[in-house]
Amino acid sequence: MAGKRELLEDLLAPVVASLGCELWGIEYQTHGRNALLRIYIDSENGIAVEDCEKVSRQASAVLDVEDPISGRYTLEVSSPGLDRPLYTLEQYARFAGAQIEVRLRLPLAGQRKWRGLLAGIEGDEVVLRVDSENEYLLPIDSIEKANIIPQFTK
């Protein structure tokens, strides 16, 4: 699935950039005969519904011409939101200091789901501080999904 996602990113990143946005990430999931392609876009000024509409129209046109997905699929365009997913080492570095939730492809120390402080990155590994005494190095390739945990102050 990573190969398909990379192909879609290469195809769609220039489209999103031409509309003044950043391609934050792509999720591609298959469900039997149907598939879901979710494109996350971001911008320094935030994302409005109109931005999602523009990207959706342009991405749809490119996908129709290039036809990288066989069969039926649903296209969704969204902002990353407060609980934004993290995909790249650069994104992890950018959000160092945030609380995150991580799901690994395979268990580490007997568990797949982790929560903790994103302490930074070292090489191609994400540094997760679970408590004041325990830090774990999670290879980025072992991470299935990671999201920021929004923090609200009173």
Side-chain angles (χ1 to χ4, degrees), residues 47-144:
I47 295 297
V49 172
E50 295 80 15
D51 297 317
C52 294
E53 290 173 359
K54 285 190 278 187
V55 169
S56 180
R57 276 194 299 276
Q58 291 297 317
S60 184
V62 168
L63 292 168
D64 286 348
V65 170
E66 297 295 330
D67 201 25
I69 301 172
S70 59
R72 297 169 40 113
Y73 67 94
T74 300
L75 173 64
E76 292 180 7
V77 179
S78 174
S79 75
L82 293 176
D83 62 342
R84 67 179 52 229
L86 300 172
Y87 297 98
T88 66
L89 285 170
E90 294 78 18
Q91 292 170 351
Y92 284 98
R94 183 170 160 188
F95 284 91
Q99 291 290 321
I100 64 170
E101 189 170 66
V102 178
R103 184 172 64 223
L104 301 176
R105 296 183 201 292
L106 298 171
L108 172 69
Q111 65 186 59
R112 286 186 60 206
K113 292 183 180 180
W114 294 82
R115 281 179 93 121
L117 178 81
L118 174 54
I121 58 169
E122 288 185 17
D124 63 348
E125 297 179 313
V126 174
V127 182
L128 184 68
R129 186 173 300 136
V130 176
D131 53 42
S132 61
E133 297 178 15
N134 293 306
E135 277 190 358
Y136 293 88
L137 296 176
L138 309 175
I140 193 157
D141 293 341
S142 72
I143 298 174
E144 185 176 305

Side-chain angles (χ1 to χ4, degrees), residues 30-42:
T30 57
H31 307 282
R33 293 183 180 179
N34 298 319
L36 170 66
L37 173 59
R38 185 174 293 129
I39 302 170
Y40 291 105
I41 60 173
D42 203 5

